[in-house]
Amino acid sequence: MSLGSLLNIPHLKTGFISWYKERNALQSPGYGFWNSIVLSDKKTKKIEDVFCHESEQCLFNKKSPFILPEINEEVIDNTVLSAKLVKHKLKSYIALPLLYNDELIGVLELGSENANELNAITPHKLAEVVPLFTTALKRSQEEFENQLETIIRQKCTAIHPTVAWRFTEAAEKLLYNLRFFADAAMEDIVFNDVYPLYGQIDIQGSSTRRNQSIQTDLIEQLKLAKSILDTAVNKFSLPIYRELRFRIDHYIEKLEEALAAGDENQVLEFLKAEIYPVFNHLHTMSPDLHEALLAYEKQLDPALGMIYKQRKDYEQSVKLINDKLSDYLDKTQQAAQNMFPHYFEKYKTDGVEHNIYIGQSLVNNKTFHPLYLQNLRLWQLLVICETENAIQRLKPNLKTSLDICSLILVHSNPLAIRFRMEEKKFDVDGAYNIRYEIMKKRIDKALVKETNERLTLPGKIAIVYSQDKEAKEYLNYLRYLQSIGYIGPHVEWLTLKDLQGITGLKALRVEVVYQKSFGGIQESKAVELLERVN
């Protein structure tokens, strides 16, 4: 039985609207019976573009039916809803909320060309069939969302929650276009006029320390191998053993000077190709050599077949630091998103870098204000101070003593970011904005002008800027940090040496105050600040 027959309205018009609260979006689920009356000219719209204030309050706030028993074309109010109904030559109209587990998921529309055919009694006549339509709409929504997720996974991999709405929007358009064009492509996803924040917490001299650990392990392994050959020379006095020992000494001398590119592979290949075949023979020559060789083999890492002590300590220490930094950023980010949604990404290297973008174009249901940018900049400073403290307390647990250096890059001019489908990541868009990316890659190697001193130093935070107004803004934040005991009283004003393709950069540098009482995320000033804002 059709709804028209049930209500005894032969020419009843019906329609459905899906409601997606997260995106503030109304959508027509399909064609024919499922098509919407008021969305017939466009698949997706926002509430304010479809319903008047009265109907919005009734449907979306009170979750009650909205009833227009008589639509008079001559005295219609100037709302988009009335205009749309008149265009369809409807004289009466009802919108019924469809609730699934008490949550609004959509609207059932009914329209008649006769006045008062749809009235306050109509919802009661449909009470038994409305749950059936609700279940059907929910199933349709779930199938549709699964299709969208499949497209997003294939085209874009994991998407940050703040910008997920835009990818869903693009996937919807692609899914719609694929019905008509088999070669339809996903549209470009660009966010204009967003403000970037960049921070870096780097392990000081990580490349040097890594090379030192490799160098130490290789020298130890060569010396152990040499001791085996010493025993072989004393027992058998074959010239070939002396020659192999001579070559080991040559590698040791070379490594003690410095570790050059390729040295590690050369040494390991030398041991594998020329020393170990001899060792296999020596196993059978005497019990003393057999025992010595077993002792040598016990010193090697069973998976790698090499001495892996200093390098293991170094890599485990780096992992501890990276995990601590990463976890701390993740936890504080959860609170920062409550302040105002923004795009956030981080990268683990020898340390952790993070990119943040904030702006109106990233959100579809909130209003951006410069205050949120200022607050996020202060949050970033607070968090970097706190991570410095967290790593300072972690140091006793590190098998290799390591220091971190912290840096912030200030960039006040808004820019555009584009999602690169091939790389599955965001990147700045446009030739002018490329300068920002170049700065990010080079400033950690910057030197203070007229000195050979590195900008980034352990125990200090460097804030790189190019405009005086940026320094003025950050000076206010630094005074606040001084007042709560996060940084020392002295602020260094520095001019940086020109980098390749970049000139005119300056920096503020401050000393971190390490706090014995600070215990972690539960005592975070950054989190406290955001809780006060909210």
Side-chain angles (χ1 to χ4, degrees):
M1 180 183 290
S2 69
L3 288 179
S5 299
L6 182 64
L7 297 174
N8 196 26
I9 303 175
H11 301 292
L12 181 72
K13 286 191 175 183
T14 59
F16 288 86
I17 300 174
S18 282
W19 165 238
Y20 297 96
K21 183 178 179 180
E22 301 80 10
R23 295 185 283 126
N24 184 31
L26 299 171
Q27 185 179 89
S28 175
Y31 300 92
F33 180 79
W34 282 100
N35 198 21
S36 167
I37 294 173
V38 296
L39 290 177
S40 57
D41 63 336
K42 190 175 181 180
K43 273 189 71 70
T44 304
K45 285 187 177 181
K46 294 188 176 181
I47 293 177
E48 57 268 25
D49 297 328
V50 177
F51 291 102
C52 60
H53 177 71
E54 181 184 353
S55 56
E56 179 183 345
Q57 290 294 316
C58 193
L59 287 167
F60 297 91
N61 292 346
K62 297 178 182 179
K63 299 177 182 176
S64 300
F66 176 70
I67 305 171
L68 287 174
E70 185 173 359
I71 304 168
N72 190 334
E73 185 174 350
E74 296 178 357
V75 295
I76 63 169
D77 55 13
N78 293 317
T79 65
V80 289
L81 176 60
S82 298
K84 181 70 68 175
L85 297 175
V86 168
K87 182 179 178 182
H88 285 284
K89 299 180 181 181
L90 297 177
K91 297 295 185 179
S92 57
Y93 174 82
I94 289 181
L96 295 169
L98 301 179
L99 304 179
Y100 189 87
N101 293 336
D102 294 325
E103 287 291 327
L104 183 70
I105 65 167
V107 175
L108 168 62
E109 299 177 282
L110 303 175
S112 171
E113 295 178 356
N114 298 316
N116 293 308
E117 274 193 328
L118 297 171
N119 50 51
I121 299 175
T122 305
H124 298 286
K125 293 181 178 179
L126 298 176
E128 293 185 2
V129 298
V130 165
L132 300 178
F133 291 122
T134 302
T135 302
L137 180 61
K138 182 65 176 177
R139 186 180 301 115
S140 172
Q141 288 178 338
E142 289 175 346
E143 291 175 357
F144 182 68
E145 288 171 356
N146 288 337
Q147 289 176 307
L148 295 182
E149 287 178 10
T150 299
I151 290 174
I152 292 172
R153 273 198 307 271
Q154 290 174 348
K155 302 285 185 180
C156 316
T157 65
I159 299 301
H160 192 276
T162 296
V163 295
W165 66 272
R166 181 65 185 88
F167 286 85
T168 301
E169 189 178 83
E172 286 177 0
K173 292 180 181 178
L174 176 60
L175 195 60
Y176 179 78
N177 290 335
L178 285 171
R179 294 173 178 173
F180 308 101
F181 309 101
D183 59 346
M186 197 164 184
E187 66 183 358
D188 289 343
I189 295 178
V190 181
F191 296 100
N192 293 307
D193 296 325
V194 297
Y195 294 90
L197 294 86
Y198 172 75
Q200 179 188 94
I201 306 170
D202 194 29
I203 296 174
Q204 185 194 33
S206 57
S207 297
T208 301
R209 298 301 296 274
R210 180 187 291 105
N211 286 344
Q212 288 174 346
S213 66
I214 295 171
Q215 185 180 18
T216 302
D217 283 344
L218 288 176
I219 290 173
E220 180 181 354
Q221 185 165 354
L222 287 170
K223 287 183 175 179
L224 289 172
K226 180 186 173 183
S227 68
I228 301 294
L229 290 174
D230 286 339
T231 304
V233 167
N234 292 333
K235 277 190 170 292
F236 306 109
S237 192
L238 294 180
I240 189 62
Y241 297 148
R242 291 189 174 87
E243 191 272 340
L244 289 172
R245 186 174 62 181
F246 167 77
R247 290 165 66 187
I248 287 179
D249 282 334
H250 172 72
Y251 276 114
I252 291 174
E253 290 174 7
K254 185 179 177 183
L255 286 171
E256 285 177 340
E257 291 178 4
L259 180 70
D263 281 354
E264 181 181 11
N265 288 335
Q266 287 181 14
V267 169
L268 294 178
E269 184 60 29
F270 165 68
L271 289 170
K272 181 180 178 180
E274 304 200 41
I275 299 298
Y276 290 164
V278 175
F279 282 2
N280 291 336
H281 173 68
L282 290 176
H283 262 294
T284 64
M285 297 299 291
S286 76
D288 291 346
L289 280 170
H290 177 68
E291 291 298 322
L293 284 165
L294 290 178
Y296 169 82
E297 290 164 2
K298 286 182 179 179
Q299 297 292 314
L300 306 182
D301 181 271
L304 301 175
M306 57 184 290
I307 297 290
Y308 183 59
K309 297 176 182 177
Q310 296 294 322
R311 186 173 180 177
K312 183 178 181 180
D313 289 347
Y314 168 81
E315 290 177 351
Q316 288 180 344
S317 298
V318 169
K319 185 177 185 303
L320 279 174
I321 290 175
N322 280 352
D323 288 348
K324 188 72 172 180
L325 293 172
S326 182
D327 290 347
Y328 202 88
L329 283 171
D330 286 341
K331 289 175 182 177
T332 54
Q333 253 299 295
Q334 294 172 11
Q337 292 292 345
N338 293 332
M339 176 183 66
F340 191 86
H342 53 275
Y343 182 82
F344 175 85
E345 62 183 0
K346 67 182 189 318
Y347 306 96
K348 287 184 181 180
T349 52
D350 286 346
V352 176
E353 302 174 42
H354 64 268
N355 288 311
I356 302 174
Y357 300 102
I358 186 170
Q360 184 62 63
S361 64
L362 290 167
V363 293
N364 68 334
N365 55 3
K366 290 182 180 291
T367 302
F368 174 74
H369 188 278
L371 172 69
Y372 296 120
L373 170 61
Q374 295 164 10
N375 211 26
L376 197 57
R377 284 173 170 172
L378 177 56
W379 168 86
Q380 184 187 38
L381 265 171
L382 286 162
V383 167
I384 284 185
C385 287
E386 291 169 0
T387 52
E388 283 271 357
N389 273 270
I391 301 306
Q392 183 70 13
R393 286 184 296 279
L394 183 67
K395 282 185 177 181
N397 300 323
L398 302 179
K399 293 183 177 180
T400 299
S401 178
L402 299 170
D403 292 311
I404 60 171
C405 301
S406 299
L407 177 148
I408 288 172
L409 173 61
V410 187
H411 189 81
S412 293
N413 297 327
L415 45 77
I417 57 173
R418 178 185 296 270
F419 187 80
R420 309 292 180 186
M421 295 293 181
E422 299 81 7
E423 295 87 1
K424 307 287 193 244
K425 71 182 187 71
F426 277 103
D427 200 357
V428 297
D429 192 43
Y432 173 77
N433 296 326
I434 294 297
R435 182 175 184 272
Y436 173 72
E437 285 295 318
I438 294 173
M439 281 195 292
K440 282 165 46 178
K441 289 178 171 62
R442 296 179 181 171
I443 52 174
D444 66 321
K445 303 292 192 296
L447 301 176
V448 179
K449 198 170 186 177
E450 298 179 356
T451 74
N452 287 320
E453 183 181 63
R454 284 284 294 267
L455 168 64
T456 53
L457 296 174
K460 295 189 176 185
I461 300 173
I463 304 164
V464 179
Y465 66 94
S466 55
Q467 301 180 42
D468 290 340
K469 68 175 183 178
E470 296 166 344
K472 184 177 180 181
E473 178 184 343
Y474 272 80
L475 196 59
N476 292 329
Y477 304 150
L478 296 178
R479 289 183 181 128
Y480 171 67
L481 293 180
Q482 289 169 341
S483 73
I484 60 174
Y486 267 41
I487 62 172
H490 181 57
V491 177
E492 297 178 79
W493 295 76
L494 308 172
T495 301
L496 305 185
K497 284 186 176 181
D498 292 344
L499 300 168
Q500 183 181 357
I502 302 172
T503 61
L505 293 181
K506 299 178 182 179
L508 302 174
R509 194 166 63 186
V510 293
E511 187 173 1
V512 179
V513 174
Y514 294 116
Q515 304 169 30
K516 294 181 180 179
S517 61
F518 178 70
I521 190 71
Q522 67 276 11
E523 297 180 25
S524 166
K525 291 286 184 184
V527 172
E528 178 187 334
L529 170 72
L530 300 178
E531 288 173 346
R532 288 178 181 176
V533 169
N534 289 286

